[in-house]
Amino acid sequence: QVQLEESGGGLVQAGGSLRLSCAASGSTFDINAMGWYRQAPGKQREVVASIHKGVIPINAVAAAVKGRFTISGDIAKNTVYLQMNSLKPEDTATYYCNVQTSTTVYWGQGTQVTVSS
């Protein structure tokens, strides 16, 4: 089992910044990807950004947030961060940390991000 602890959500004005953090604990030896998803009311959960384990780690960022959001972290250290700049009201959602092993997908409890116009 993998446990996830998220932090960093909150209320911010449009144009502001927030940084989300996620730390994994437990059976972390088999983690091969860590990332962030978000879900707005009435919408499907969507991927925001992810880091994939490899000789050269692969960082992927969704088109909707590219240039504004940056994912960082270290799978070997079981941590992932999401730096969110130039936030827009449409970024308002619950953000979930996501961890993938060879057999299982784990989700954090979610942290609310609200961007006011």
Side-chain angles (χ1 to χ4, degrees):
Q1 291 286 332
V2 173
Q3 294 78 44
L4 301 176
E5 183 173 351
E6 303 161 334
S7 61
L11 172 65
V12 65
Q13 287 189 332
S17 298
L18 285 172
R19 186 177 190 243
L20 305 183
S21 300
C22 178
S25 60
S27 300
T28 59
F29 63 92
D30 193 30
I31 293 176
N32 53 47
M34 297 183 73
W36 295 92
Y37 283 66
R38 68 184 181 184
Q39 187 168 20
K43 295 189 176 181
Q44 288 190 328
R45 191 170 296 189
E46 61 179 4
V47 62
V48 177
S50 59
I51 297 177
H52 296 261
K53 188 177 181 179
V55 174
I56 300 176
I58 298 173
N59 290 15
V61 179
V65 303
K66 203 165 190 177
R68 301 187 296 119
F69 291 12
T70 302
I71 189 168
S72 63
D74 188 336
I75 290 179
K77 296 182 179 179
N78 307 317
T79 55
V80 65
Y81 307 97
L82 186 68
Q83 178 66 43
M84 304 184 293
N85 299 328
S86 302
L87 282 159
K88 303 176 181 180
E90 51 263 43
D91 294 319
T92 295
T94 301
Y95 285 70
Y96 296 90
C97 181
N98 170 277
V99 163
Q100 299 179 26
T101 70
S102 59
T103 58
T104 310
V105 176
Y106 296 92
W107 295 95
Q109 79 280 5
T111 184
Q112 180 66 36
V113 171
T114 302
V115 185
S116 63
S117 57

